[in-house]
Amino acid sequence: MNRHEKAKNFKQVNHSVTKIDALQLALGKDSYVADFVPNDALIIKMLWSPHAHARIKKMDVSKAEKMPGVKAVLWYGNVPRIVHCTAGQGFPEPSPYDTFMFDRKVRFVGDRVAAVAAETEEQALAALEVIKVEYELLKPVFSIDEAMAPGAPVIHDEPEAHVPIPIHYEPKKNLVAQVGCEAGSFEKGMKDADFTFDETFEAPYAQHCPIEPYVSMAQIASSGRIVITTSTQVPFHCRRIVAQTLGIPVQRIRVIKPRIGGGFGCKQEILLDDVTAMFALRTGRSVLWQFTREETFRTGRTRHPFRVRLRAGVKKDGTISAIGLDCINNTGAYGGHGLTVVSCSGGKTLPLYHCDNIHFDGKSYYTNLPVGGAYRGFGATQAFFAIESVMDQMAEAIGMDPKAFRQLNHIRENEGSPIFAALGEGREGTPMTVGSNALGECIVQGAEAIGWDKRSDWRGKTGRFRRGIGMACLMQGSSIPDIDMGAAAIKINEDGSFNLTVGATDLGTGSDTVLAQIAAEELETATDKMIVYSSDTDLTPFDVGAYASSTTYLSGEAVRKAAADAKRQILATGAEMLGLPVDQVHCEDAMVRNADGSKKVSYSDIANYSLYQKNQYQIIGTASHITKKSPPPFAAHYAEIEVDTWTGFIRVLKYVSTIDCGTAVNPTLCEGQTEGGTLNGISYALTEQYLFQNGRMMNASFADYHIYSMRDRPPLQTILVPSYEDTGPFGAKSVSEICINGPAPVIGNAIYNATGARINEFPFTPEKVLAAIQALEKKK
């Protein structure tokens, strides 16, 4: 059987079964952290720094401690000074240890100063008002240019700041990380080109905007252990980092993740749990800390702003002779994810097109601005804006259709790239060839859906409203090979149902459902026979968590292997019951049967036999999985837009997202992830921006920070283009991140096709678009 046809025979995988938590959520049943908070829980509030860069000379919390209802106050004078990293990454983290629970220095507007736990929110806020703080103001650093300047203020001058792995880190120069690689001779490739390009692009800050803000509850169990119930993507990393920050053993902490009201990367950070755990220890009470929307904007993690310089050369025959990608990342006041995000800006983009001569350099700098973190797309989003914009420019220079230019140059099955081996996350990457790739078909189907053949040159367009069509090709990855690990366990019950326990974290993406489908497919039973319990550090196997597009590909294969282990035991017991050799039976429709079906026994009978009757034992399968490659999903995005040349306003008329995610385990969920991520990207490209005054974000609300809602949603079309990834569970690879990478370059290319104005910085606000159109008119 052809591997691309395997998915057609699946009974559970590649079917759009209903999410297993759909009814629970639709009925408003207790699901989220705040639903489980006891009525007598203490409420935590934080005093945030009003200054971008300052040293605390003196602090007096005595009045606050005596305020009505106040049970404890935390500040740098009464907590352990233990340096750590807040990024929820593998251990040792590829990020600097540059953070303390509380410090004598504040490094951005919204940094921690002191925290209060009180009986009510009003009492906690009142106590914050009487805390006296005397600051010594320091010169702030508000841009990467200021951070790089000779003699720039040093943001992290504390002696404890260090990195736990051997990477380039120079805090005295505000340099968080530097990574680079070379393939061939970039200089020769530029000399051999018929046309060369040297362009600089800017990608802005952005907020994840989950419906549920950051929230954490901590309690002391009767055993004396700390139980943290938190909205996190990384429960096991959370446990480790909280233990480290408090200076206590890991065994004293249990972390539980209930349902999550959105994450998108921001909850891969440990921002609340050290404080809630410390207050629980100090008071012996249940404590709750939940960010307001304003706090989420100011203090929560963001997308890293990037400056990207792209140099490229192309020959008249369409050969790309050189690509040089230089990325500078503003990581803000702390360095978590600074290295890995800038690494991925090269590692997840440069292999997409054939090129023998490649240069990459990535740097990450501290500033006194909000802190960058993990965000869907993780560096590829920023870099693809530059790469796909210049792809259009190269195509125009040689007189080739942009679609045909990409079709000529994109990577194909069984091809590799030196970038795969050169760039990993925190270390060198893993050599690999692409095993599954339907990008060629994605390009064809997307072009047909958008009506690419009707696309015309901007020079013939007149009138106030002008339409344009743009496109971009994209790739991402699936897990971090040889680093991250997932595990699963599955046991049978008397009625033939199964308990599936996984450490993997469902963010609302539906991964619990997807993993149940994978287990059911392997076990030849129905998905509704799976009882899934995930993300409890006491009760579920280890998993790194939900990031790096790893859940389906990495955790899913752990589930498949665990199910296969259980299946082996089921077959052995079923064969014993039937009096047949094990090689003469197989599993089918929740039964063990012989070839012609004349002898069979149900899973329920097998469970009861194994548990109660003879040779008793618990049928339970366990497995771990670590990946050896990171197979890219591929996508081609297209959009048709209309530009009002009088105002600069852009209307997206239609957006088409094609996606090759291997086997779509649950096609409806894959479409939902793609549409949601695409809309997220359109919003980022057109409206989202942080507005600052002296380092303070001035638009920290949904009234002033504009994100797309369903009322703004343009017509979206998602096309799933199947391939089969042999190393993934039933041919699957990742789907959820890649979709956000397309809208910025697609819309930028469409603006050029409509008006002739090339804009290298987004969001494409009406003011920015109008200025570009007017500048072009002056040149005529």
Side-chain angles (χ1 to χ4, degrees), residues 3-4 318 320 350-355 391 400 402-417 420 432-444 473-475 629 631-634 660 723 725 733:
R3 65 179 185 151
H4 298 293
I320 301 173
L350 289 170
L352 183 58
Y353 296 113
H354 299 138
C355 183
M391 285 294 291
M400 186 178 288
K403 173 173 72 73
F405 183 56
R406 290 173 170 87
Q407 288 173 312
L408 176 67
N409 283 289
H410 74 76
I411 194 170
R412 288 162 170 78
E413 282 190 1
N414 302 316
E415 293 182 343
S417 167
F420 288 136
M432 71 174 191
T433 57
V434 173
S436 57
N437 186 343
L439 178 55
E441 187 61 24
C442 287
I443 294 172
V444 170
C473 290
L474 312 162
M475 62 174 282
K629 64 186 299 186
F634 293 96
D660 158 26
S723 68
E725 176 54 49
K733 50 188 179 180

Side-chain angles (χ1 to χ4, degrees), residues 203-209 214 264-266 296-297 300-306 329-332 336-337 341 369-383 476 677 680-685 688 690 692 705 736-744 762:
Y205 268 109
Q207 230 298 313
H208 309 69
C209 301
Y214 297 90
F264 315 109
C266 70
T296 300
F297 273 113
R301 294 308 181 244
T302 68
R303 185 181 295 285
H304 292 79
F306 262 61
N329 160 4
N330 170 6
T331 194
H337 300 286
V341 167
L369 290 172
V371 184
Y375 193 153
R376 187 183 212 167
F378 207 77
T381 310
Q382 297 93 319
Q476 194 77 35
N680 191 175
I682 293 172
S683 181
Y684 182 43
E688 296 186 37
Y690 269 47
F692 292 106
Y705 182 92
S736 296
E737 285 194 87
I738 186 173
C739 43
I740 201 171
N741 299 336
F762 67 96

Side-chain angles (χ1 to χ4, degrees), residues 85-101:
C85 171
T86 62
Q89 299 173 303
F91 180 81
E93 300 91 340
S95 293
Y97 281 30
D98 58 5
T99 305
F100 303 89
M101 186 183 300

Side-chain angles (χ1 to χ4, degrees), residues 109-144:
V109 176
D111 211 348
R112 291 179 182 179
V113 175
V116 171
E119 298 286 357
T120 68
E121 180 178 345
E122 292 76 13
Q123 290 171 332
L125 290 171
L128 295 182
E129 293 290 330
V130 301
I131 295 175
K132 295 181 179 179
V133 187
E134 183 179 339
Y135 295 97
E136 175 193 352
L137 299 186
L138 304 173
K139 184 179 179 181
V141 175
F142 287 148
S143 70
I144 53 177

Side-chain angles (χ1 to χ4, degrees), residues 22 51 69 125 157 179 353 367 372 457 463 478 522 526 540 556 586 631 645 686 695 701-702 747:
H51 305 296
L125 290 171
D157 52 0
V179 62
Y353 296 113
T367 65
D457 188 84
S478 303
E522 181 65 35
T540 63
H586 66 278
T645 60
L686 293 179
S701 73
F702 284 149
I747 293 172

Side-chain angles (χ1 to χ4, degrees), residues 274-452:
D274 58 330
V275 171
T276 57
M278 182 61 83
F279 271 126
L281 277 179
R282 292 280 173 92
T283 66
R285 299 272 299 276
S286 298
V287 295
L288 173 71
W289 188 13
Q290 179 168 288
F291 275 15
T292 64
R293 184 59 58 186
E294 181 179 348
E295 289 172 326
T296 300
F297 273 113
R298 294 195 202 282
T299 300
R301 294 308 181 244
T302 68
R303 185 181 295 285
H304 292 79
F306 262 61
R307 178 179 298 161
V308 181
R309 182 188 181 193
L310 187 65
R311 291 169 288 167
V314 64
K315 296 182 179 180
K316 292 178 180 178
D317 66 358
T319 301
I320 301 173
S321 60
I323 299 176
L325 182 67
D326 296 281
C327 297
I328 303 176
N329 160 4
N330 170 6
T331 194
Y334 296 93
H337 300 286
L339 168 65
T340 48
V341 167
V342 82
S343 295
C344 286
S345 68
K348 304 303 184 189
T349 61
L350 289 170
L352 183 58
Y353 296 113
H354 299 138
C355 183
D356 293 331
N357 305 297
I358 299 173
H359 157 86
F360 173 73
D361 183 70
K363 296 186 179 76
S364 182
Y365 282 92
Y366 288 122
T367 65
N368 294 118
L369 290 172
V371 184
Y375 193 153
R376 187 183 212 167
F378 207 77
T381 310
Q382 297 93 319
F384 266 126
F385 174 52
I387 291 170
E388 288 301 298
S389 297
V390 172
M391 285 294 291
D392 262 34
Q393 293 179 52
M394 288 193 287
E396 183 178 43
I398 63 174
M400 186 178 288
D401 175 78
K403 173 173 72 73
F405 183 56
R406 290 173 170 87
Q407 288 173 312
L408 176 67
N409 283 289
H410 74 76
I411 194 170
R412 288 162 170 78
E413 282 190 1
N414 302 316
E415 293 182 343
S417 167
I419 302 301
F420 288 136
L423 287 177
E425 295 195 30
R427 67 181 194 183
E428 291 184 349
T430 301
M432 71 174 191
T433 57
V434 173
S436 57
N437 186 343
L439 178 55
E441 187 61 24
C442 287
I443 294 172
V444 170
Q445 291 194 32
E448 182 179 352
I450 202 67
W452 183 264

